[in-house]
């Protein structure tokens, strides 16, 4: 949660393990309490390190986030 | 961390998986007989569409050292429905609605985030019905590899059930013990629904046979045969409620077999559970429309359920199909007598 009006939801993907969803329950709780969503904004991509050599670090996309903005 | 729950779920503590399985959680995925495995920091989960498949997988994990049910409590690995542990307690798990789905998480741990398998599709519709509801709604059509295909009578659409085990014969060792138990008690069984008068030694033999069959009910394949004979044996020992429970288990395991449906229905009649018997007998008639004895059974069930007009219709149909059958003729006379007020309507049978 960024602040009282912004909430982060996101997914993390672990190949071969499954998909993890973050933040859904908190957003559902706010909606149940009667709050309304004003805006949805892109969040950041999440990268995971899969290796490195002398010159490069190898990363792969492991998930991403969205910002949910309430009124 | 919470894991998704759908249909039948085998859920294990991740620490136990890491300790007992070769390759820790990679071992979990290697063992998974379908594509529904997922893991989180605390729990490992695999989903199944049939309870027997879940049980078989649990047995496999137990053979590898994970502790399943002990003393009525799941220890390290459990079978869970979407709403509760199956048959035993499971104090290390919490279940509930989380992030829009039914889920389980380690008791005391934060359920965030929700973990689902890659194969999860929220739009996919999974029916979660009891054996009775499922038998009423779905008609088995065929098996395609490890997929069972049914027709949904409400929508006339095909629906599917993925399987991970075969409904084959009993495992060999269980099968031999089962046959020995059945051979010892078969002459004592009440195939006509009315327990025989047994002597002291026969009653003892029957009790031993019942105990032997009860000891085999934990098998995961072909268990309906054991429950069916256990129902026959308990009925013969005048344990009507125990027989009912055994036939119900047989039906739960194999709702397609007409003998299972007939005896389960018959035991409902013995306990005066008329409406339950009518539903079963009606379904048996739908599946076997030319079997006069099954139609006669339906007429009897309707009489016990106090639907005398339809009882009369059904017994007349049965008589038209087999005019010389003495049992149906006797039932027809009884129904006529009840309708004419000459006899009081029976509330159970026998």
């Amino acid at each position: 949660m960024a602040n009282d009006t912004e909430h982060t939801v996101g997914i993390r993907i672990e190949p071969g393990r499954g998909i993890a969803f973050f933040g859904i329950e908190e957003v559902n709780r706010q909606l149940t309490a009667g709050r309304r969503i004003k805006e949805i904004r892109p969040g950041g991509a999440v990268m995971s390190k899969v290796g490195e050599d002398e010159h490069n670090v190898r990363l792969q996309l492991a998930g991403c986030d969205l910002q949910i903005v309430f009124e | 961390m919470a894991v998704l729950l759908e249909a039948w779920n085998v859920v294990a503590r991740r620490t136990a998986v890491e300790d007992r399985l070769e390759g820790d959680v990679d071992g979990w995925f290697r063992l998974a007989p379908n594509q529904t495995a997922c893991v989180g920091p605390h729990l490992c989960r695999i989903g199944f569409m049939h309870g027997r498949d879940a049980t078989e997988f649990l047995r496999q994990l137990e053979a590898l050292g994970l502790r399943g049910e002990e003393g009525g409590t799941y220890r390290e690995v459990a079978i869970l429905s979407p709403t509760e542990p199956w048959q035993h307690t499971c104090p290390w798990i919490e279940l509930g609605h989380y992030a829009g789905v039914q889920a389980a998480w380690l008791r005391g741990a934060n359920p965030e985030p929700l973990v689902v398998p890659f194969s999860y599709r929220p739009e996919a519709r999974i029916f979660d019905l009891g054996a009775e509801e499922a038998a009423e709604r779905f008609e088995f059509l065929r098996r395609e590899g490890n997929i069972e295909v049914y027709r949904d009578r409400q929508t006339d659409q095909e629906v599917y059930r993925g399987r991970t085990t075969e409904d084959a014969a009993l495992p060999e060792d269980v099968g031999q013990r089962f046959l020995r138990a059945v051979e010892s008690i078969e002459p004592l069984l009440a195939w006509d629904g009315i327990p025989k008068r047994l002597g002291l030694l026969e009653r003892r033999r029957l009790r031993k046979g019942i105990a032997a069959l009860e000891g085999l009910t934990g098998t995961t394949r072909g268990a309906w045969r054991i429950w069916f004979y256990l129902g026959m044996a308990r009925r013969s020992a005048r344990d009507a409620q125990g027989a009912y429970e055994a036939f119900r288990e047989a039906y739960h395991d194999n709702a397609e077999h007409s003998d299972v449906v007939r005896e389960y229905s018959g035991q409902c009649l013995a306990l005066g559970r008329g409406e339950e018997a009518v539903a079963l007998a009606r379904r048996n008639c739908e599946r076997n429309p030319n079997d006069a004895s099954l139609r006669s059974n339906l007429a009897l069930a309707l009489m016990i359920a106090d639907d005398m007009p339809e009882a009369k219709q059904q017994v007349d149909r049965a008589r038209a199909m087999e005019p010389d059958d003495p049992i149906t003729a006797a039932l027809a006379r009884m129904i006529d007598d009840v309708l004419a007020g000459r006899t009081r309507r029976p509330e159970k049978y026998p």
Side-chain angles (χ1 to χ4, degrees):
Chain A
M1 189 172 78
N3 58 45
D4 193 37
T5 58
E6 289 187 19
H7 294 268
T8 302
V9 296
I11 64 170
R12 301 289 180 269
I13 300 168
E14 200 178 344
R17 294 281 189 276
I19 306 171
F21 291 90
F22 290 83
I24 292 174
E25 182 69 7
E26 181 56 31
V27 171
N28 284 342
R29 198 175 296 141
Q30 298 289 337
L31 292 172
T32 303
R35 296 188 70 183
R36 294 176 53 163
I37 293 173
K38 185 171 74 176
E39 190 176 22
I40 300 176
R41 297 177 188 151
V46 178
M47 310 300 288
S48 65
K49 184 175 162 182
V50 292
E52 65 180 306
D53 55 32
E54 279 181 42
H55 308 291
N56 296 301
V57 173
R58 281 182 289 124
L59 301 173
Q60 73 176 14
L61 182 67
C64 63
D65 292 337
L66 293 170
Q67 295 300 121
I68 310 295
V69 184
F70 286 92
E71 287 179 347
Chain B
M1 181 275 319
V3 291
L4 172 79
L5 296 180
E6 289 186 312
W8 297 84
N9 307 269
V10 173
V11 174
R13 302 176 79 120
R14 180 169 173 155
T15 50
V17 167
E18 289 172 340
D19 287 349
R20 310 285 191 332
L21 298 189
E22 196 175 325
D24 58 59
V25 290
D26 286 339
W28 181 261
F29 285 93
R30 273 199 298 272
L31 283 173
N34 60 35
Q35 303 300 310
T36 65
C38 61
V39 299
H42 306 122
L43 299 176
C44 301
R45 176 263 184 190
I46 295 177
F48 296 89
M49 297 181 81
H50 197 293
R52 195 181 311 129
D53 297 347
T55 307
E56 182 98 344
F57 187 66
L58 180 76
R59 297 268 184 275
Q60 192 181 348
L61 294 172
E62 287 175 328
L64 292 167
L66 273 83
R67 295 169 63 202
E69 179 268 330
E70 294 170 10
T73 299
Y74 289 119
R75 304 294 169 171
E76 294 174 335
V77 57
I79 297 177
L80 309 177
S81 82
T83 55
E84 59 188 350
W86 185 61
Q87 291 193 331
H88 310 296
T89 59
C90 191
W92 44 280
I93 284 277
E94 284 189 62
L95 295 94
H97 198 72
Y98 191 80
V101 298
Q102 282 300 118
W105 57 94
L106 194 67
R107 185 171 295 277
N110 183 355
E112 187 73 359
L114 171 74
V115 176
V116 304
F118 280 108
S119 63
Y120 175 62
R121 298 290 179 273
E123 73 277 11
R125 188 168 175 208
I126 292 185
F127 295 97
D128 191 9
L129 305 175
E132 177 65 20
E133 289 174 287
E136 190 162 316
R137 181 159 175 181
F138 301 117
E139 175 191 3
F140 178 75
L141 297 178
R142 62 189 179 278
R143 185 160 177 145
E144 295 177 359
N146 59 354
I147 304 289
E148 293 172 350
V149 184
Y150 295 81
R151 181 177 73 86
D152 183 343
R153 293 187 175 98
Q154 287 183 9
T155 63
D156 204 30
Q157 304 238 313
E158 288 190 353
V159 296
Y160 307 93
R161 176 160 70 177
R163 298 299 309 273
T164 58
T165 59
E166 295 281 339
D167 281 336
L170 291 163
E172 193 175 338
D173 57 328
V174 176
Q176 287 173 2
R177 288 156 62 197
F178 169 67
L179 285 178
R180 279 199 297 274
V182 167
E183 278 171 13
S184 73
I185 61 170
E186 195 147 30
L188 312 176
L189 298 182
W191 292 103
D192 59 358
I194 301 168
K196 298 174 182 176
R197 290 174 67 92
L198 301 176
L200 182 66
L201 294 178
E202 289 173 320
R203 289 203 300 275
R204 184 186 295 169
R205 198 165 98 205
L206 187 57
R207 277 200 303 274
K208 284 178 71 175
I210 288 171
L213 290 171
E214 286 173 343
L216 298 175
T217 55
T219 187
T220 54
R221 284 189 283 124
W224 70 270
R225 296 173 178 84
I226 295 166
W227 286 114
F228 179 79
Y229 271 90
L230 188 54
M232 295 302 301
R234 285 176 174 171
R235 174 192 286 166
S236 306
R238 300 176 193 274
D239 173 9
Q241 180 64 30
Y244 165 78
E245 287 164 10
F247 286 130
R248 192 179 56 191
E249 288 291 334
Y251 179 77
H252 182 75
D253 205 37
N254 187 350
E256 306 296 321
H257 201 293
S258 63
D259 289 351
V260 171
V261 182
R262 185 191 63 231
E263 298 304 332
Y264 176 28
S265 170
Q267 204 59 32
C268 289
L269 296 179
L271 291 171
R273 305 173 76 101
E275 290 181 8
E276 193 175 347
V278 168
L280 293 162
R282 206 184 286 287
R283 198 161 309 116
N284 235 359
C285 285
E286 285 169 8
R287 287 201 194 106
N288 307 278
N290 300 318
D291 189 322
S293 67
L294 295 181
R295 195 152 299 278
S296 185
N297 288 348
L298 173 58
L300 176 60
L302 285 160
M303 181 168 65
I304 301 297
D306 198 15
D307 185 349
M308 294 306 299
E310 199 189 342
K312 171 70 175 161
Q313 285 176 17
Q314 296 294 349
V315 81
D316 286 347
R317 283 183 67 182
R319 288 214 71 192
M321 291 159 77
E322 273 190 17
D324 299 329
D325 182 66
I327 296 172
T328 302
L331 177 63
R333 282 196 299 277
M334 187 192 296
I335 289 172
D336 285 341
D337 286 347
V338 171
L339 283 169
R342 291 188 291 271
T343 306
R344 198 170 163 200
R345 182 182 65 81
E347 293 182 355
K348 56 185 182 177
Y349 182 87

